[in-house]
Amino acid sequence: MTAVSRPAGLVGRDVELAALGRALDAGARGEPSVVIVRGEAGIGKSRLVREAAARARARPDALVVTGVCIDLGTVGSPFSAVRRPLQELVSAVGPPQAAAAVRSPTAVSTLARIIPELEDVSDPHAAPPANGVDFVAEAVERLLDGLSARAHVVVVLEDAHWADAATRALVRTLAATLRASRLTLLLTYDSDEVGRGHPLREVVTELERHRSVEVIEPARLSRAGVAALARELTGHDLDGDDVEALLTRSEGVPFFVEELLAAPGPELSGSLRDIVLARYDRLGGPGQAVARLAAVAGMTVREDVIDAVWDGDRSTLTAGLRDAVDHGVLLRHGDAFTFHHALLREAVYAEMLPHERIAAHRALADALGRGSRGDDASVAHHRLAAGDRERAFDAVIAAREAARRAYAVGAAAQLGEELLRLWPDVDDPEDRLGGTALALRCEIAEDLYDSGAARLAMRAVEAGLADAPQDRVEERARLHSLAVVLATEHEGLGSGAAHLEALEEALARCPADAAAPMRVRALAMRALGESGPAASATTDACVALAEGTGDPALIATALTRRAWVRSLAGDFDDALREARRAAEIDRGGILWGRCAATSVIDVLTRLGRYGEAVSEGEVALRDAIESGLERRIGAPIIANIAEALLLAGKVDDALPHLRRAAALLRGESPRWEVFLADLEAEALVWADRLDEADAVLAPVRRAASTVDADPEGAFGTAAALADAALARAEDTAPAGARPLVAEALAVVGAIRHPDALAQARMEHDLLLATARAIDAARRRRMTIPAGLVARTREIADAMSAHPATAHAAALTAALIADRDEVDRWRAAVAAADAGLAPLRRVHEAHYRLACALKRSGRRREADAEFGGVVARAPADGAALLARWSARARGPQMTAGEGDGPLADLTGREAEVLALVAEGLTNPEIGERLFISRKTASVHVSAILAKLGAANRTEAAALFTASSARA
């Protein structure tokens, strides 16, 4: 068989290249995208993305950078794969221009920790706190965003299955948000490596759900593909038997095809491992020695590292490197050498004797430890591989400290776990680390929490508590304190309560001064589960304790919680003062002063001061972005701005904010995801976009059933589900409407929960949804669950008399009243028109008043109310009410109300005629209007007589013609 005569091209990959080309085109147009190329080893993933990168480089106005992940086991160097591409980006534009693109001193200072080229243009005083993992993702995103304004940025990340924890977290965050307008992110990973339990699996599973992410999975080559690749490699066609043999031996894997054709000799014999090693076998002694040393170093090794470790003369090293490059075992890239393929590197490493590997790992650790680049993680990796546990322990400590300096707290947690694994096998571990194993467990759990790995953090907490003796009260309190936060944020107050009790027990046995910060936070969490005077007393104690510490962040924490309690009590003016005080006390602080700003925005929204809430929110958001805090603090601010915009009726302005907040918070907190989905769904329901609302609610429906664990979260979802079902019922024939109303009645049962009373004073959605469900059931003569009306009336009666909540109480009272009274609806309209109610509720009050007027026979007044809703509601996010008003109004009366064929009809007859025109039968009309079948028949007969119509069809035609003229 003829040997390879030319480099391999891309054969049989037209579909994959076209998909990559579309992603590049989209990025160049300003539509950011992610492409994941996955497949087995040797299938051609790297070749595909490298071809795409080459094509991108050929385009004008493109910045293309590539990073390759390397396998360092459990001690991967933080951000190892992204450092180089980020450095290339900064070098391409220059550090001053890169800093200007970032537009934040804090973000530039953060980037300088992983991009040394930025150190000269960074402000060391602007550095974020030590656990600033969010700052890294934020800073990298800002760099990509800023640079993408001037060029199409293409970032290639190969072999993501070897990515370190920090890089995985960064990729997940960047791919989820993708704010940079002209950005294309290309990732590859070996699908055989990413099985169940692999740390990348969760990341890619999440990414693949995003609409902006495309997955390419190259298939093995067919017989024709193998023949074409062989022709590309050899320069001529192989005969049929050779192609068949080549297909059989390679199984259609392109890398094996290439290696088989490159192997010497006429026969395709030997195992695939032998074929892969054929290149290595052709090397001379120095070349093989170099290849073995490089295999121990990893997939890529710098020339200076090989030089430092080489145990021979320089000329022999040079000859060996040249031999390895000439035979295609190693490829040269700048100052480093990379193996032709990972399979080749693995095969060479496996060929080595154990003592060879240990000696090489030890030599590499010594050389890297003497170097100036400070690659502590690599030193730790080689010490571990050499079996030198004592020195490995010290190296892992250094690597962990380096990870913390780079804000790679997820990597620091992983390195902490490695220290625990080594702990029993080393002398004096506490002296070496400067702390106990239990304190280390606390730090691991906190690092995992800060990195966003909530489930892993909770497992670490549980493991720490299982190992912690009862007399280690400070460490137990520390672990329980974190558990309270994790359980509350991710599962709700019910789940956090058990840990709160344990925390308080531990704190009671701790020295008062040492545990003051945890005591403040415990009191703040305790107030979450209380209401009324108890909550007020707890937050007063919390504020007093915090003020005693003199710590502005703790004081701001306590004041923010007291503001929340005041809001629940309906004391919105006091709540606003408390929130403003908290923001002022910790002004300039990294987190809590800005958290207090979100409370200010929230209280302004509760007060119905939507314009102020949006304005102050935009100021706070700019501050968060400039400080590199859009993800940590900016996302909740964006959500608050969106809520204020929605309640002000500006749905189209609010939805992009909601979706941006959801993208930033995705994966961080399930409760936030549910809250944002509920907000969006409610807005879509009232905007008459019911199909979209159903799609938004589908993933979070289960939240409505978690009322015991997380009542606050369940209330919002229950309200959104009920309103969506009731909206569908109004547009459905009577037989189909009843199950929808029953569904609404079922989900609003959450209002029976004890917390509903306190929550309704601040959030009225569930109260009003329950009242609407009761009204809908009464109109259809359905059975209402026992106690539901009484509970709804109890909550409405207990509402604060504050003008910001008066409209909700009035609307509820009118909806659940035993009789349809126009005066009640006039009172509801007056309360809604006072200027503090959400605009969709203003229009709802007018719509329901119009319906009451129409039912009482006051047609002209009803028409005026309906007309106002039709004219104004769509612009205020209430198109649903406008459509219902247009339908309920029917044909409009002409001037003098004596003209036109329908002028003699009563209000009820006009309603019946509209339903006749919809095609409803007498029984269906009776069910829709809650009258008997016989009464409906009497109305139809009267209508036919007054109109002079021969039948229902003719009457419907007159109705349609009159509607068209109107």
Side-chain angles (χ1 to χ4, degrees):
M1 184 171 291
T2 305
V4 171
S5 63
R6 63 183 73 183
L10 279 168
V11 172
R13 299 297 186 223
D14 292 344
V15 173
E16 292 86 350
L17 284 172
L20 287 165
R22 288 193 297 272
L24 293 173
D25 290 341
R29 289 194 305 268
E31 300 169 12
S33 63
V34 178
V35 179
I36 298 174
V37 183
R38 67 183 181 195
E40 62 187 307
I43 203 67
K45 304 179 294 294
S46 293
R47 192 159 289 177
L48 270 171
V49 295
R50 288 171 189 172
E51 175 64 22
R55 295 184 182 187
R57 287 190 182 94
R59 301 181 177 202
D61 194 29
L63 278 174
V64 184
V65 292
T66 298
V68 180
C69 303
I70 57 176
D71 183 12
L72 287 181
T74 58
V75 292
S77 179
F79 304 114
S80 58
V82 297
R83 287 175 189 263
R84 185 173 188 126
L86 292 176
Q87 288 172 322
E88 290 178 10
L89 284 174
V90 170
S91 297
V93 301
Q97 290 74 20
V102 173
R103 305 185 309 279
S104 164
T106 303
V108 174
S109 181
T110 302
L111 287 172
R113 300 289 183 95
I114 57 176
I115 310 173
E117 289 83 351
L118 289 175
E119 287 180 356
D120 291 340
V121 294
S122 66
D123 178 2
H125 301 294
N131 65 342
V133 62
D134 290 336
F135 294 83
V136 177
E138 180 90 10
V140 172
E141 185 181 16
R142 289 177 69 87
L143 176 64
L144 296 176
D145 186 27
L147 293 180
S148 72
R150 56 184 291 176
H152 175 202
V153 178
V154 180
V155 179
V156 180
L157 189 64
E158 295 189 46
D159 298 331
H161 52 282
W162 285 331
D164 60 273
T167 298
R168 288 194 303 270
L170 178 61
V171 166
R172 185 193 72 181
T173 301
L174 292 179
T177 51
L178 277 181
R179 179 174 58 186
S181 57
R182 301 171 65 198
L183 173 67
T184 305
L185 182 59
L186 308 179
L187 306 176
T188 74
Y189 74 87
D190 187 337
S191 54
D192 289 340
E193 295 283 342
V194 184
R196 184 179 298 276
H198 191 285
L200 185 68
R201 182 161 183 163
E202 183 177 351
V203 176
V204 296
T205 299
E206 180 182 333
L207 295 185
E208 289 168 9
R209 293 198 299 263
H210 296 176
R211 287 173 293 185
S212 60
V213 176
E214 181 172 1
V215 177
I216 296 175
E217 198 159 8
R220 293 185 177 187
L221 297 177
S222 64
R223 187 181 190 282
V226 169
L229 180 56
R231 182 169 57 251
E232 179 80 16
L233 290 165
T234 64
H236 66 271
D237 290 322
L238 301 186
D239 63 42
D241 290 343
D242 283 342
V243 171
E244 192 62 38
L246 191 57
L247 175 63
T248 300
R249 295 291 296 114
S250 69
E251 298 181 350
V253 177
F255 173 71
F256 293 148
V257 172
E258 183 177 348
E259 295 304 295
L260 286 163
L261 290 172
E267 300 298 329
L268 296 173
S269 59
S271 69
L272 284 175
R273 182 169 173 274
D274 293 336
I275 298 301
V276 170
L277 281 171
R279 290 178 186 265
Y280 169 78
D281 290 337
R282 294 199 297 274
L283 299 178
Q288 289 191 352
V290 166
R292 289 195 299 273
L293 187 56
V296 174
M299 188 67 188
T300 300
V301 59
R302 300 192 313 268
E303 186 171 6
D304 65 315
V305 173
I306 295 179
D307 192 28
V309 178
W310 181 254
D311 189 24
D313 60 78
R314 176 70 186 181
S315 61
T316 304
L317 172 60
T318 301
L321 285 169
R322 184 174 293 114
D323 191 21
V325 170
D326 289 345
H327 283 86
V329 174
L330 297 177
L331 307 175
R332 178 143 202 167
H333 295 291
D335 63 350
F337 295 91
T338 301
F339 272 92
H340 170 66
H341 199 280
L343 292 172
L344 176 56
R345 181 253 165 188
E346 292 167 8
V348 172
Y349 187 82
E351 279 289 289
M352 298 176 68
L353 296 172
H355 78 274
E356 283 186 287
R357 290 199 290 264
I358 289 172
H361 279 299
R362 185 175 291 122
L364 282 161
D366 290 342
L368 291 168
R370 291 191 301 267
S372 60
R373 300 199 184 199
D375 196 352
D376 301 290
S378 294
V379 174
H381 165 72
H382 290 298
R383 294 283 182 221
L384 287 167
D388 188 351
R389 289 178 170 265
E390 295 283 344
R391 298 177 74 183
F393 190 84
D394 295 336
V396 173
I397 291 174
R400 182 167 174 261
E401 291 171 353
R404 285 176 170 276
R405 287 194 299 272
Y407 308 121
V409 289
Q414 192 168 324
L415 291 162
E417 294 284 2
E418 188 64 37
L419 288 175
L420 289 175
R421 190 178 70 82
L422 293 170
W423 198 276
D425 300 326
V426 299
D427 294 331
D428 303 318
E430 290 190 9
D431 290 341
R432 292 180 177 205
L433 180 63
T436 65
L438 186 54
L440 176 59
R441 286 192 179 279
C442 294
E443 292 171 5
I444 290 169
E446 289 162 355
D447 285 341
L448 287 168
Y449 171 69
D450 287 331
S451 72
R455 285 190 292 273
L456 292 176
M458 184 57 90
R459 284 186 216 155
V461 166
E462 291 166 352
L465 288 170
D467 287 350
Q470 291 297 322
D471 61 350
R472 301 294 292 272
V473 290
E474 288 190 47
E475 288 93 341
R476 293 188 68 84
R478 189 172 170 186
L479 288 166
H480 279 301
S481 181
L482 179 57
V484 170
V485 174
L486 281 164
T488 302
E489 285 186 1
H490 293 269
E491 299 174 31
L493 292 175
S495 298
H499 284 287
L500 181 59
E501 291 179 8
L503 169 61
E504 290 171 336
E505 289 177 10
L507 288 174
R509 300 164 60 195
C510 287
D513 55 343
M518 283 190 287
R519 293 180 195 280
V520 170
R521 295 188 182 98
L523 286 170
M525 296 302 296
R526 170 61 62 190
L528 279 175
E530 297 175 332
S531 61
S536 181
T538 299
T539 52
D540 288 345
C542 183
V543 170
L545 181 59
E547 289 176 337
T549 69
D551 184 338
L554 282 177
I555 298 171
T557 302
L559 288 171
T560 300
R561 186 51 44 84
R562 190 156 70 180
W564 181 81
V565 167
R566 298 278 166 83
S567 286
L568 278 181
D571 298 330
F572 297 111
D573 299 302
D574 285 347
L576 183 59
R577 282 190 289 273
E578 293 285 83
R580 289 198 188 283
R581 184 183 165 207
E584 186 61 36
I585 283 176
D586 199 31
R587 184 174 298 280
I590 287 294
L591 293 177
W592 277 105
R594 294 181 170 93
C595 287
T598 67
S599 294
V600 170
I601 302 162
D602 184 67
V603 178
L604 286 171
T605 301
R606 305 297 152 229
L607 283 166
R609 292 156 63 174
Y610 308 122
E612 288 180 68
V614 171
S615 297
E616 295 209 23
E618 289 172 345
V619 171
L621 179 59
R622 282 196 296 273
D623 173 64
I625 291 173
E626 289 169 3
S627 302
L629 281 164
E630 184 182 11
R631 185 164 280 100
R632 173 70 69 90
I633 297 299
I637 292 173
I638 295 170
N640 282 354
I641 292 172
E643 184 176 16
L645 287 168
L646 287 175
L647 298 181
K650 299 178 180 179
V651 175
D652 291 337
D653 292 338
L655 289 179
H657 285 77
L658 271 180
R659 290 160 186 170
R660 175 63 181 165
L664 289 169
L665 291 164
R666 187 173 289 115
E668 298 294 324
S669 170
R671 296 186 75 222
W672 264 106
E673 293 179 28
V674 170
F675 169 70
L676 293 169
D678 294 342
L679 273 183
E680 183 172 356
E682 281 282 5
L684 292 169
V685 166
W686 294 103
D688 204 13
R689 295 157 64 173
L690 300 182
D691 290 342
E692 293 177 63
D694 288 343
V696 170
L697 285 170
V700 300
R701 293 183 71 91
R702 184 180 172 278
S705 63
T706 62
V707 66
D708 290 330
D710 182 18
E712 183 182 352
F715 294 158
T717 305
L721 288 169
D723 283 337
L726 294 172
R728 291 285 189 194
E730 292 302 314
D731 293 335
T732 304
R738 294 174 71 87
L740 291 167
V741 175
E743 176 186 337
L745 287 171
V747 294
V748 298
I751 202 169
R752 294 190 179 92
H753 192 279
D755 288 359
L757 178 60
Q759 189 66 24
R761 294 183 179 126
M762 188 166 66
E763 301 279 359
H764 314 130
D765 286 337
L766 180 59
L767 175 65
L768 288 167
T770 306
R772 293 182 194 111
I774 291 169
D775 173 66
R778 277 184 173 156
R779 287 189 284 112
R780 290 168 176 82
R781 297 176 183 173
M782 294 172 60
T783 300
I784 298 170
L788 188 62
V789 175
R791 175 60 169 168
T792 306
R793 184 174 287 115
E794 174 194 5
I795 292 176
D797 291 345
M799 295 283 284
S800 165
H802 195 285
T805 60
H807 74 278
L811 277 167
T812 301
L815 282 164
I816 66 173
D818 294 331
R819 295 185 305 278
D820 186 23
E821 297 179 5
V822 169
D823 287 345
R824 284 185 180 272
W825 283 113
R826 291 197 191 281
V829 165
D833 281 346
L836 300 181
L839 290 187
R840 66 187 182 221
R841 293 181 191 161
V842 174
H843 294 300
E844 181 181 11
H846 282 273
Y847 163 72
R848 293 188 183 278
L849 171 61
C851 291
L853 288 166
K854 183 177 178 181
R855 286 190 290 269
S856 70
R858 291 141 90 166
R859 177 78 181 273
R860 187 181 294 280
E861 291 180 74
D863 279 353
E865 291 290 346
F866 282 135
V869 177
V870 169
R872 291 185 289 275
D876 292 334
L880 182 71
L881 294 167
R883 180 166 61 82
W884 287 351
S885 293
R887 182 174 66 194
R889 179 174 51 167
Q892 299 178 54
M893 294 296 181
T894 59
E897 216 173 41
D899 301 327
L902 311 186
D904 293 333
L905 300 183
T906 66
R908 175 62 86 184
E909 288 168 348
E911 281 186 291
V912 171
L913 178 56
L915 297 177
V916 168
E918 288 184 28
L920 271 64
T921 64
N922 287 349
E924 290 172 333
I925 292 171
E927 188 165 351
R928 176 75 68 86
L929 298 179
F930 312 108
I931 57 179
S932 69
R933 177 187 308 185
K934 182 176 181 181
T935 301
S937 175
V938 170
H939 282 309
V940 170
S941 298
I943 291 166
L944 295 179
K946 288 182 179 181
L947 298 181
N951 50 45
R952 300 168 75 98
T953 302
E954 190 172 321
L958 287 170
F959 174 88
T960 303
S962 180
S963 298
R965 286 194 300 273

